[in-house]
Amino acid sequence: MVYNLVHIIEQSAKEFPNKVAFRYMEDSITYKDLDVKSNQLAHYLITRGVKKGDRVGVLMHRCLETSIAIYGILKSGAAYVPIDPFLPNQRIKFLINDCGIKHLVSTDKQSKKIRKVLLSKHNLETIIGLSDLQNIETISWKRVYETLLKEYNSVNILSDDLSYILYTSGSTGLPKGIMHTHASALAFAKLVVDLYGFKHTDIVANSAPLHFDVSILGYCSAPLAGATTIIISDAHLKFPISLAELTEREKVTIWYSVPLLLIELLHKGSIQNKDFSSMRWVLFAGEVFATKQLRALMQLWPHAEFSNIYGPTELNQCTYYNLKVPPKTDNPIPIGTTWKNTEYKILDDQDNVVAAGEEGLLVVRSATMMKGYWNNKALTEASLYKHKIAEGFEHVYYRTGDLVKLNNNGELLFLGRQDSQIKLRGFRIEIGEIENILLNYQGVTEAAVIITDVEDNKSLIATVLTDGVTLVTEDNLKAHCKNNLPIYTVPEQILILKSFPRTSSGKINRRDIATMIKSLN
Amino acid sequence: MEKTIIKHIENELAVEEIEDGLEASDDLLGSGIVDSLGMMKLVSFIEEQFAIEVAPDEMVIDNFMTVENICEYIKTKL
């Protein structure tokens, strides 16, 4: 019976021992190998004192060892905590201290970075995956793979034990750690396999770094089905043509990423001349996929089904909207309906359920829901909506912070963030609305509207990217906005940029845009 | 050519300060020395500095993985 994440690998190692579980560039690992090597890592961690409930850090770029790190840490009974190597050192130290990491799994590529982290005060005891000597206990991957398993005893892991903690930016400026259990992660993995019909013959493309929840699909759902996951390298993500070539060569059948990567493939990957006939599912999440762009891609890949996935990291995934044929209008596509083992309510400001078709806050209750925020009970409590059934018994929902409403087909429409709703000179303005109008303009590929505040003088500034082919001027766009929006929502300035600052997961970094505009004025 | 490019990366594009200097054979892409935006800037720099035009279909990993690769690529264009 599979009731924790470790069982996934144990089961697939029995059923498909010689199948490739993960591939990265020229390297690959079979399920049997992954099972053995993750046992070796677990055994070593246990001899270093790791026990159930501990947190072990993973500081790695995309590479094959990420799969061994994840499952080795899980098998030791600990939860894995991905640390983005692109983070500034200060932030890395914060994560290590915040969740009390004593052991770090890494690779030689991070050697310099680790040396710097070790310079200041820390509680680290072991670095796994380093060949060079540092001022701390280290062990190379080569030596981990020489570990004998005669004395290895597997840990009894319950589904309620912690499996991973993903740090995400918090509104206060300090990151918050989202805790998932084996149960919530496995519920997600199983629901994905069920909903999209994952098979052992599937080739799943993983473009996400470990600290981004999109990676759970490639690292847990695919192995659950006995499929092969292609770990896409950092280099490929910088060159759309190389990415397209890799996708074609690997005969990828299931794709999952943020819309941005697909848009780059569409515009810069010269995908028209390549064969993507094996692609059967294109999944995307994390941001709104401009309908125009989605349609263009769907027309190029008519054999594939597309799915708009919605769900904050706190819930993994919770809704989906599948498309077999390209959308007919430019209206934003719905986020759809909740999947199995999940329910929702739409609430008004007073936490009352709104009337059908009315706008409100989406709260979700699901088997895929987090345990809470690490070491932050107050924040966890504030993020929950509790519906009391009887004394001592309540249904617990997560407040997504997202505004939604139902359309006439009973599908959820995403309207924007609860907290990106702004007031300007007394008017209530939804940023998403302005962005959608800009996106409707021929030639505009992405749009981000932000509000700047110079000496209490707030103003709306729109920034857009264009396809570089159509002639788009700021005057045209302003006229377009004036034609389609109430005058108080028309941006004061519209800037056509060459690129947007992005977060490490590929989302538009609005805060950086605001800083950039401030420095311009 | 190699030195010009290395200097430019070290001084202008590197995400963090590079200790003990950048080697021509160092992996620029996989190790996070240069991010996506830095890579775009590097392409513009090369185009200007060496008066060449990088065609869209030449924007591939093999041409930009290391400074060595970049130099080999530029030489084919001169």
Side-chain angles (χ1 to χ4, degrees):
Chain A
M1 186 188 167
V2 175
Y3 62 81
N4 65 37
L5 295 179
V6 165
H7 293 154
I8 292 177
I9 293 305
E10 290 173 351
Q11 178 185 263
S12 287
K14 264 186 212 136
E15 212 170 331
F16 311 102
N18 299 316
K19 263 204 76 180
V20 169
F22 290 89
R23 182 152 51 236
Y24 174 82
M25 311 286 262
E26 313 303 320
D27 300 330
S28 60
I29 187 166
T30 63
Y31 278 105
K32 193 175 145 200
D33 252 11
L34 177 57
D35 194 34
V36 172
K37 286 179 173 165
S38 53
N39 283 346
Q40 288 172 315
L41 175 59
H43 184 50
Y44 176 76
L45 288 171
I46 293 165
T47 61
R48 293 292 298 161
V50 170
K51 55 187 190 312
K52 224 176 15 176
D54 284 359
R55 285 78 51 207
V56 174
V58 183
L59 180 73
M60 287 180 176
H61 285 113
R62 293 168 176 80
C63 60
L64 198 65
E65 284 80 8
T66 50
S67 61
I68 302 164
I70 286 181
Y71 283 101
I73 293 168
L74 290 173
K75 283 177 174 184
S76 76
Y80 75 87
V81 184
I83 302 173
D84 179 7
F86 291 107
L87 285 177
N89 290 336
Q90 280 306 326
R91 196 79 166 212
I92 291 179
K93 281 181 219 161
F94 172 84
L95 294 197
I96 290 173
N97 291 332
D98 188 59
C99 68
I101 290 172
K102 290 183 192 152
H103 312 279
L104 201 54
V105 183
S106 192
T107 64
D108 282 327
K109 278 197 171 168
Q110 310 300 336
S111 174
K112 282 183 190 169
K113 184 130 231 159
I114 290 169
R115 205 174 285 276
K116 277 187 201 159
V117 170
L118 293 178
L119 280 177
S120 57
K121 199 174 164 288
H122 63 82
N123 295 317
L124 287 168
E125 292 173 11
T126 326
I127 315 285
I128 295 110
L130 287 188
S131 316
D132 57 344
L133 289 177
Q134 300 221 12
N135 201 11
I136 192 170
E137 180 81 19
T138 59
I139 181 171
S140 67
W141 280 108
K142 191 168 167 284
R143 272 180 52 217
V144 171
Y145 302 150
E146 287 162 5
T147 308
L148 297 176
L149 289 170
K150 266 187 213 153
E151 288 166 26
Y152 170 63
N153 288 315
S154 60
V155 178
N156 177 21
I157 298 161
L158 311 192
S159 53
D160 193 44
D161 287 330
L162 276 196
S163 59
Y164 55 82
I165 301 178
L166 300 185
Y167 274 84
T168 174
S169 54
S171 50
T172 58
L174 284 181
K176 53 190 181 191
I178 297 164
M179 298 186 285
H180 274 283
T181 61
H182 282 264
S184 61
L186 187 61
F188 167 78
K190 283 182 173 174
L191 283 163
V192 165
V193 168
D194 180 66
L195 177 58
Y196 302 109
F198 275 34
K199 296 183 288 234
H200 69 91
T201 46
D202 276 318
I203 310 287
V204 180
N206 174 74
S207 59
L210 293 185
H211 62 276
F212 188 27
D213 65 347
V214 163
S215 67
I216 307 298
L217 185 138
Y219 283 89
C220 299
S221 297
L224 182 63
T228 298
T229 295
I230 309 299
I231 301 169
I232 296 172
S233 77
D234 288 301
H236 282 90
L237 297 174
K238 296 187 179 97
F239 292 99
I241 290 186
S242 301
L243 178 58
E245 282 166 1
L246 175 77
T247 309
E248 182 187 37
R249 190 170 64 243
E250 293 284 3
K251 295 189 171 57
V252 167
T253 64
I254 296 170
W255 176 279
Y256 186 23
S257 76
V258 289
L260 166 74
L261 257 198
L262 289 164
I263 292 173
E264 291 205 325
L265 275 182
L266 176 67
H267 292 299
K268 300 176 196 157
S270 65
I271 53 175
Q272 292 82 352
N273 320 316
K274 295 188 179 70
D275 176 14
F276 294 98
S277 54
S278 352
M279 192 76 83
R280 60 183 200 92
W281 270 114
V282 178
L283 318 176
F284 53 90
E287 209 160 19
V288 176
F289 199 151
T291 311
K292 228 168 25 178
Q293 311 286 341
L294 175 62
R295 183 186 305 119
L297 184 63
M298 288 189 74
Q299 281 162 350
L300 284 176
W301 294 350
H303 48 276
E305 237 181 293
F306 284 62
S307 187
N308 183 21
I309 293 178
Y310 162 83
T313 306
E314 284 86 346
L315 290 163
N316 280 304
Q317 177 176 351
C318 53
T319 76
Y320 66 97
Y321 181 78
N322 293 350
L323 298 107
K324 279 200 165 87
V325 291
K328 289 193 180 66
T329 70
D330 279 351
N331 295 335
I333 54 167
I335 54 171
T337 43
T338 43
W339 62 356
K340 290 177 184 173
N341 218 344
T342 303
E343 63 180 348
Y344 72 91
K345 290 179 193 286
I346 305 175
L347 305 179
D348 66 13
D349 297 348
Q350 262 71 50
D351 279 354
N352 297 312
V353 174
V354 302
E358 291 291 310
E359 175 182 332
L361 169 73
L362 179 69
V363 300
V364 178
R365 179 170 173 247
S366 174
T368 61
M369 190 166 134
M370 66 165 177
K371 189 87 174 165
Y373 297 107
W374 171 259
N375 204 12
N376 200 333
K377 208 170 173 186
L379 191 61
T380 303
E381 281 303 309
S383 75
L384 303 176
Y385 162 73
K386 294 177 177 177
H387 177 66
K388 189 174 158 189
I389 306 290
E391 203 53 48
F393 178 61
E394 50 203 6
H395 287 170
V396 180
Y397 291 74
Y398 170 69
R399 296 174 185 273
T400 62
D402 291 324
L403 298 171
V404 298
K405 69 174 182 188
L406 278 176
N407 67 12
N408 293 333
N409 301 325
E411 296 151 347
L412 290 165
L413 299 176
F414 173 77
L415 303 173
R417 282 293 298 170
Q418 190 181 29
D419 46 14
S420 78
Q421 181 193 87
I422 53 160
K423 284 234 174 156
L424 193 60
R425 290 180 281 277
F427 292 109
R428 184 172 145 169
I429 298 174
E430 284 298 337
I431 295 285
E433 186 190 11
I434 307 169
E435 291 173 353
N436 275 320
I437 292 294
L438 287 165
L439 286 169
N440 285 342
Y441 194 81
Q442 177 77 36
V444 172
T445 56
E446 284 186 271
V449 174
I450 52 126
I451 190 158
T452 57
D453 194 347
V454 182
E455 290 165 0
D456 275 348
N457 189 12
K458 287 183 183 171
S459 49
L460 275 177
I461 313 280
T463 55
V464 301
L465 303 187
T466 68
D467 60 10
V469 182
T470 324
L471 179 72
V472 182
T473 69
E474 293 168 6
D475 287 346
N476 295 150
L477 284 175
K478 202 143 191 186
H480 172 70
C481 285
K482 280 184 182 161
N483 285 338
N484 291 285
L485 287 169
I487 189 69
Y488 59 84
T489 64
V490 173
E492 254 166 68
Q493 249 186 307
I494 301 177
L495 304 171
I496 299 171
L497 303 180
K498 285 249 186 293
S499 65
F500 281 144
R502 307 270 179 189
T503 67
S504 61
S505 54
K507 293 185 190 178
I508 299 169
N509 191 333
R510 283 155 210 275
R511 203 178 299 169
D512 280 5
I513 295 180
T515 315
M516 189 182 79
I517 287 170
K518 251 186 196 164
S519 68
L520 285 178
N521 290 336
Chain B
M1 182 189 288
E2 211 172 86
K3 274 186 192 152
T4 316
I5 297 172
I6 287 180
K7 210 166 191 182
H8 185 70
I9 295 174
E10 284 179 342
N11 298 337
E12 307 289 335
L13 303 176
V15 177
E16 286 179 298
E17 200 184 318
I18 305 169
E19 278 172 43
D20 6 297
L22 180 68
E23 302 281 328
S25 57
D26 281 348
D27 175 359
L28 299 173
L29 303 167
S31 54
I33 292 175
V34 181
D35 63 9
S36 302
L37 198 60
M39 198 36 83
M40 298 303 127
K41 286 185 189 160
L42 181 60
V43 171
S44 310
F45 172 78
I46 290 165
E47 288 186 323
E48 235 170 79
Q49 187 75 24
F50 303 100
I52 57 166
E53 200 172 323
V54 178
D57 62 353
E58 290 162 356
M59 290 274 296
V60 293
I61 294 176
D62 294 348
N63 291 339
F64 290 92
M65 192 74 151
T66 64
V67 174
E68 273 172 4
N69 294 150
I70 296 172
C71 291
E72 280 164 32
Y73 162 70
I74 295 172
K75 280 174 195 155
T76 67
K77 306 279 289 183
L78 293 175

